[in-house]
Amino acid sequence: MMRFSSNSLEANLTKLFVVPIATVAIMVIGIALHFTLDWLEFLTLMMVILFPSIFALYKAYQSVFNTIGRIAVQLDSIANEEFTVWQLAQYRQGSIANLKSDLKTIAQRIQNKRYEYAQNEAFVFDFINELALPILVLDHHYQVYHFNGAAKDFYEGCQITGCDIHALKLARNNGKWQVSHNNQRFKVVEHELYRGGRKYHLMVYVSIELSLRRNEQEAWQKLVRVLNHEVRNSLTPIYSMAQSLKALPVQGRAELRDTMLDVIEKRSEHLLGFVASYSKLSQLPKPDKVSTCVVGLSDRLQALFPKVNVKRLFEGTPSIYCDVEQLEQALLNLVKNAEQANSLAGESEITLAIGRSDKLWCLDVIDNGHGVSQSDNLFVPFYSTKEQGNGIGLVLSREIVRGQLGELTLENRQDKQGAIARISLPV
């Protein structure tokens, strides 16, 4: 016996079909009573009038749900990207024919999208194959689904299709993929792809050593340019004056000779100081960090820099974990730079603001100079915009701060003319 929920289409149709059947049955009974028909005549009348009505309603019921079933099968075919079978072919007019036309339109759009996705996927895989970086595509089980020529060379031509991450020697460290090969470390950048309802993983191998070598090469190129500039500026006048001294007569012009020798001496002293600065930069001691009261530190800095306005932008008596002596050395360099910047601009006010965020302590040395003009070379060793500068102060200060797991930045002020040298240290 079929049971239908009260809110189903079957139940609603059954209720509606009961109305005409009951109406016909009442009419048949009324006719039989009016004409006083016997049982045989009554049954004959029932078969002629009531049974065809029931049969027609039953066929209508079957036709409705047969059509709905065909629509469901057709939708399932479209969902499974089967576009060659049409369950509604017999309907050529009316609302079902219109529905069939709409479904064909939807199917055509899905086909077009499928073709577009296939083209995009083919482009991605062709692009991957052309790249010099090793690239793997792993399926949802983290097994190799596709790889390019660089990846094949990386694994020395081994058949890696279907290999898992253990066979590929991939390891996750602090949430990041890494792999080692021929004494080189590679970081593996993972991207997610979706195809056919499944997730795939695009693994791009990037050589850490290659990146470090590139950065090291750039650093050395900058350093060589500065060294070339500094040494050439000192040796050129020394060479010129040495040639002139050789040409001077032995007797006479002693004053000119003494002047030239004095210049040679000064330039030689500058070169010696230059080398000493390099030695100082390369031999920083390891920081001895201790917990220090920030209030006491600010008082100490105020005594160390009496002309600097030290501002406390914090409340209470918190502590900071640092090497106080090294921090003071870094601040000495920054305050000296601020004084020189103010001097060039005809200003004098310097502020040292000490504040705290959720994760960082910030010590800002704020001046009123002309600001930062060449930010790219600020932390290049031995680069200086000052005539007598050796270009070591900012570099030394940054190395001191980084030794304490902090960072030093230099930027222009937003409120007025000047610059802000900010030391950021972890809370």
Side-chain angles (χ1 to χ4, degrees):
M1 181 177 180
M2 298 180 64
R3 294 182 180 181
F4 304 119
S5 173
S6 60
N7 58 356
S8 67
L9 177 62
E10 291 88 342
N12 291 335
L13 285 177
T14 302
K15 291 176 182 178
L16 291 173
F17 288 171
V18 166
V19 175
I21 292 174
T23 301
V24 172
I26 292 171
M27 290 176 60
V28 170
I29 294 172
I31 293 171
L33 293 175
H34 180 75
F35 291 102
T36 61
L37 301 177
D38 58 21
W39 283 104
L40 182 59
E41 293 172 331
F42 176 73
L43 291 175
T44 303
L45 184 63
M46 288 281 289
M47 292 180 63
V48 171
I49 298 177
L50 183 60
F51 288 171
S53 300
I54 295 174
F55 181 77
L57 290 175
Y58 175 73
K59 284 297 184 180
Y61 183 92
Q62 275 192 326
S63 178
V64 169
F65 286 99
N66 180 54
T67 303
I68 292 175
R70 287 173 176 270
I71 293 173
V73 172
Q74 189 64 66
L75 290 174
D76 186 64
S77 299
I78 294 175
N80 289 287
E81 300 183 355
E82 294 288 342
F83 306 111
T84 58
V85 178
W86 287 97
Q87 303 293 326
L88 304 173
Q90 66 189 69
Y91 298 100
R92 302 190 182 187
Q93 292 181 351
S95 58
I96 299 299
N98 294 335
L99 176 61
K100 180 177 69 173
S101 177
D102 293 339
L103 289 176
K104 283 189 174 182
T105 302
I106 294 172
Q108 186 61 47
R109 290 180 179 177
I110 293 175
Q111 278 185 295
N112 294 339
K113 286 293 183 181
R114 181 184 182 185
Y115 178 75
E116 181 181 335
Y117 292 150
Q119 290 293 102
N120 292 339
E121 181 180 295
F123 169 77
V124 169
F125 278 85
D126 289 342
F127 182 71
I128 289 173
N129 293 336
E130 294 299 323
L131 292 177
L133 292 174
I135 299 177
L136 302 176
V137 179
L138 308 182
D139 61 17
H140 59 290
H141 294 300
Y142 277 96
Q143 295 178 338
V144 177
Y145 171 75
H146 179 78
F147 57 92
N148 65 355
K152 183 177 181 180
D153 295 339
F154 181 88
Y155 287 102
E156 299 176 349
C158 297
Q159 181 55 253
I160 59 175
T161 302
C163 291
D164 59 14
I165 56 176
H166 300 292
L168 298 172
K169 298 181 180 179
L170 282 169
R172 192 186 289 272
N173 185 15
N174 294 327
K176 297 181 179 180
W177 291 102
Q178 289 186 350
V179 65
S180 296
H181 179 71
N182 291 339
N183 297 322
Q184 290 190 43
R185 290 177 301 157
F186 289 79
K187 68 176 181 179
V188 182
V189 183
E190 180 181 5
H191 300 278
E192 293 183 353
L193 300 174
Y194 291 89
R195 179 176 182 267
R198 292 187 176 183
K199 183 169 69 172
Y200 293 82
H201 308 271
L202 183 68
M203 316 293 281
V204 182
Y205 291 29
V206 181
S207 173
I208 297 176
E209 272 74 14
L210 185 62
S211 178
L212 291 175
R213 287 173 191 168
R214 190 179 295 113
N215 293 336
E216 181 181 349
Q217 184 181 18
E218 291 177 358
W220 275 111
Q221 287 175 347
K222 288 184 178 180
L223 181 58
V224 167
R225 286 198 298 269
V226 175
L227 287 171
N228 179 63
H229 177 269
E230 190 69 26
V231 173
R232 184 181 294 274
N233 283 351
S234 294
L235 290 182
T236 298
I238 290 176
Y239 176 80
S240 177
M241 283 182 282
Q243 294 294 321
S244 299
L245 283 173
K246 288 175 63 177
L248 283 176
V250 179
Q251 300 294 332
R253 309 198 68 176
E255 182 178 350
L256 178 59
R257 182 182 293 107
D258 292 340
T259 301
M260 290 182 176
L261 289 173
D262 184 62
V263 172
I264 292 174
E265 180 182 5
K266 294 295 183 184
R267 298 311 302 173
S268 300
E269 288 178 356
H270 176 76
L271 279 176
L272 289 174
F274 180 78
V275 174
S277 296
Y278 177 80
S279 176
K280 184 178 182 181
L281 177 64
S282 62
Q283 297 177 3
L284 280 175
K286 186 177 180 180
D288 182 18
K289 298 193 292 184
V290 295
S291 181
T292 305
C293 177
V294 185
V295 174
L297 176 63
S298 64
D299 292 338
R300 180 168 171 169
L301 293 175
Q302 185 65 80
L304 184 62
F305 309 118
K307 296 182 180 180
V308 175
N309 179 22
V310 179
K311 289 185 177 181
R312 299 176 184 173
L313 306 180
F314 59 89
E315 297 179 354
T317 56
S319 299
I320 184 172
Y321 191 62
C322 66
D323 185 322
V324 177
E325 284 74 20
Q326 285 195 13
L327 182 60
E328 288 177 349
Q329 179 61 46
L331 287 169
L332 276 169
N333 292 330
L334 299 179
V335 170
K336 181 180 177 182
N337 284 347
E339 289 174 346
Q340 293 172 346
N342 279 349
S343 177
L344 293 174
E347 300 286 346
S348 59
E349 182 181 0
I350 299 175
T351 301
L352 173 55
I354 305 175
R356 174 179 174 174
S357 64
D358 293 337
K359 297 182 180 180
L360 295 173
W361 279 104
C362 294
L363 291 82
D364 294 348
V365 178
I366 308 171
D367 63 54
N368 296 307
H370 295 301
V372 179
S373 59
Q374 299 183 19
S375 57
D376 292 341
N377 296 318
L378 283 175
F379 295 100
V380 176
F382 316 117
Y383 175 86
S384 177
T385 58
K386 309 182 190 79
E387 292 184 3
Q388 301 299 323
N390 57 15
I392 203 68
L394 277 178
V395 181
L396 180 62
S397 298
R398 187 175 68 170
E399 292 305 310
I400 289 173
V401 174
R402 285 183 171 178
Q404 303 191 46
L405 304 180
E407 188 56 77
L408 171 62
T409 58
L410 190 63
E411 59 185 22
N412 289 320
R413 296 177 63 173
Q414 300 297 321
D415 55 342
K416 57 186 297 187
Q417 178 177 278
I420 302 175
R422 171 168 296 170
I423 294 177
S424 303
L425 294 173
V427 172

